[in-house]
Amino acid sequence: MEFPEEVLAHIFSYLSVTERDSASAVCKRWSQSMSHPRVWRYTEIRCETGEQEDPALQHFSSLLPLVRHLKITVSSLSDPANRSAALSVLRLATSGPLQTLSLSCSGGVPLFYSGHDLEEGLEAALTTAPEHVGGAFLSHLDLRGVPFTLSQSLVRVLARQSPNLRSLLVNNQTLVCKVEPEAVVEVLGLCPLLNTLGLFYTSLSQKVVDELLLPQRCPLLAMELYCERFAKYIPPLEDNVWAGLKHRHPGLKVSLILDHTLPMDHFSSVLQPSVPLQHLELLTFTDLVQQTHLVTQSYSHALETIILQTTSSPELDSALRSLAAACSRLREVHCYCVVSCDVVRAFKDCCPHLWRYTLKTRKEPHPWKCTVIK
């Protein structure tokens, strides 16, 4: 009971909202400490009770404007009460100077659910808070975890209401992308401080690149790209374009996810040698021997994480051993097919920074667990 209030607040910050509600009932001092701003600075809220008015959220509704970094997870989207609770949290949190917002969903998605209510609620939350001008303080927005197609109008509104954005992640791996390159150009113009961008590959164009190459832009640090079947209908970014981006933004690191819906003959057009590739996922469930050799030849100097969903073969084992020998900066490798013991040994011997891997020498029940090197 002699702990300073700041220490209590730091401890309480690790509790969920429900646990904070229980702890506040222990004694008067704990209840008073629960209103300390440090308790709420980083807060994760799970909307999963099926109640539109969750008792814990009701209890702390006046404190949600203290949140600076918020993660909302909506469980079971089929329950309107969970979605409504998430929107209530959004309205309350954005009435304060919220800096970071992450919105994700877990569980099944209802058939034909378009996410309009969540989109409209997010837009309203950022535009109807007069005191703090909605998202004026927002610097990081992560929508990768929402399972519905994001509208282009929403992305434009987010940029208009949040001109201080430094990271915008809308690469949420849905079947369709509605965010066209013109919208990305507008976002880049409205948000001059953006240094981290997550997009569908189809949202890129030469005009987007030209905007990124402007001398007045702040350095671009990270770009995440999701490539799916519609990427085959657009002109790929040529190697000289990536070379220009890398020259203009020398600290740029790129993450690429190539989905199984993208035809294999388009992989090489996406995997240009000058891409400053740090993270790569090839999710094809087919033979990837040729692509593995291509990765070894082009990205050995920068690649830190690789994830392969492929099929076993002696040729793949040989390609993986070559990859291990060339890519000394690898920190993670996850290959979701059976490999030989020599492959495991090669990565452990040749990659001094390796700390986590999924390399199985025999079939195991799914999901496969990764090995962490201590």
Side-chain angles (χ1 to χ4, degrees):
M1 296 306 295
E2 296 177 359
F3 279 163
E5 186 179 38
E6 291 78 6
V7 176
L8 281 175
H10 180 73
I11 295 171
F12 293 154
S13 68
Y14 290 94
L15 302 180
S16 68
V17 173
T18 302
E19 291 166 339
R20 292 175 192 176
D21 188 37
S22 300
S24 68
V26 170
C27 65
K28 184 177 180 179
R29 186 156 185 270
W30 281 25
S31 180
Q32 292 172 341
S33 298
M34 204 62 69
S35 61
H36 194 284
R38 187 165 185 173
V39 176
W40 299 94
R41 184 172 180 81
Y42 295 90
T43 296
E44 179 176 355
I45 295 177
R46 299 187 63 87
C47 301
E48 57 187 359
T49 63
E51 300 179 15
Q52 185 170 341
E53 297 182 351
D54 183 278
L57 293 178
Q58 280 189 306
H59 183 194
F60 293 126
S61 60
S62 63
L63 298 176
L64 289 181
L66 297 175
V67 177
R68 297 294 175 265
H69 307 274
L70 175 64
K71 180 178 180 180
I72 301 176
T73 301
V74 186
S75 298
S76 184
L77 278 174
S78 58
D79 193 332
N82 289 339
R83 305 201 301 267
S84 180
L87 295 177
S88 296
V89 172
L90 269 174
R91 285 192 295 270
L92 292 167
T94 51
S95 65
L98 186 67
Q99 298 171 9
T100 301
L101 174 61
S102 172
L103 179 62
S104 63
C105 305
S106 61
V109 181
L111 194 62
F112 305 122
Y113 177 65
S114 63
H116 280 167
D117 54 345
L118 289 179
E119 278 201 356
E120 292 173 359
L122 176 57
E123 182 177 330
L126 295 177
T127 56
T128 59
E131 183 181 355
H132 297 289
V133 200
F137 291 87
L138 198 63
S139 58
H140 304 280
L141 181 59
D142 184 356
L143 299 178
R144 291 175 296 181
V146 297
F148 48 81
T149 302
L150 298 170
S151 69
Q152 187 165 255
S153 60
L154 172 67
V155 174
R156 283 190 159 114
V157 168
L158 294 175
R160 292 183 192 128
Q161 296 299 320
S162 307
N164 295 311
L165 274 178
R166 285 168 170 77
S167 70
L168 176 64
L169 304 172
V170 293
N171 48 321
N172 60 332
Q173 302 188 27
T174 52
L175 295 175
V176 179
C177 172
K178 291 185 178 179
V179 182
E180 298 178 355
E182 291 75 14
V184 178
V185 172
E186 182 178 343
V187 168
L188 291 172
L190 292 168
C191 305
L193 301 177
L194 266 178
N195 58 39
T196 300
L197 199 55
L199 300 169
F200 281 68
Y201 192 83
T202 52
S203 298
L204 291 179
S205 70
Q206 186 59 51
K207 289 184 177 180
V208 174
V209 173
D210 291 341
E211 184 71 27
L212 291 171
L213 292 176
L214 291 175
Q216 66 268 28
R217 284 211 67 84
C218 71
L220 187 64
L221 302 180
M223 181 182 289
E224 298 181 10
L225 298 174
Y226 176 63
C227 309
E228 34 68 61
R229 64 186 184 278
F230 289 106
K232 66 183 178 181
Y233 298 117
I234 66 167
L237 294 185
E238 301 292 341
D239 191 57
N240 64 312
V241 175
W242 282 109
L245 275 172
K246 189 164 61 172
H247 178 74
R248 170 64 182 82
H249 303 283
L252 175 62
K253 298 184 184 300
V254 174
S255 297
L256 277 174
I257 299 178
L258 278 66
D259 186 72
H260 69 278
T261 59
L262 180 68
M264 293 284 287
D265 55 356
H266 287 263
F267 277 37
S268 58
S269 63
V270 174
L271 296 172
Q272 296 290 339
S274 293
V275 178
L277 192 62
Q278 181 186 49
H279 177 108
L280 176 63
E281 298 184 33
L282 301 177
L283 313 179
T284 67
F285 306 98
T286 57
D287 179 76
L288 287 174
V289 174
Q290 181 180 350
Q291 288 72 25
T292 305
H293 284 303
L294 175 62
V295 171
T296 302
Q297 295 167 7
S298 301
Y299 310 120
S300 59
H301 60 288
L303 191 65
E304 295 184 11
T305 301
I306 185 168
I307 301 175
L308 304 174
Q309 289 185 341
T310 181
T311 55
S312 302
S313 70
E315 293 77 15
L316 178 68
D317 287 345
S318 176
L320 288 173
R321 289 195 298 270
S322 299
L323 179 74
C327 301
S328 60
R329 298 186 62 176
L330 272 175
R331 294 176 54 81
E332 293 189 52
V333 56
H334 306 279
C335 183
Y336 293 98
C337 70
V338 174
V339 299
S340 68
C341 295
D342 290 340
V343 170
V344 181
R345 191 177 305 112
F347 280 105
K348 294 176 72 173
D349 291 345
C350 301
C351 303
H353 304 291
L354 190 70
W355 75 280
R356 190 166 67 170
Y357 64 87
T358 305
L359 298 166
K360 304 296 183 182
T361 57
R362 61 178 184 274
K363 288 186 177 181
E364 296 181 5
H366 286 278
W368 285 4
K369 294 182 179 180
C370 68
T371 301
V372 177
I373 299 176
K374 297 181 179 180

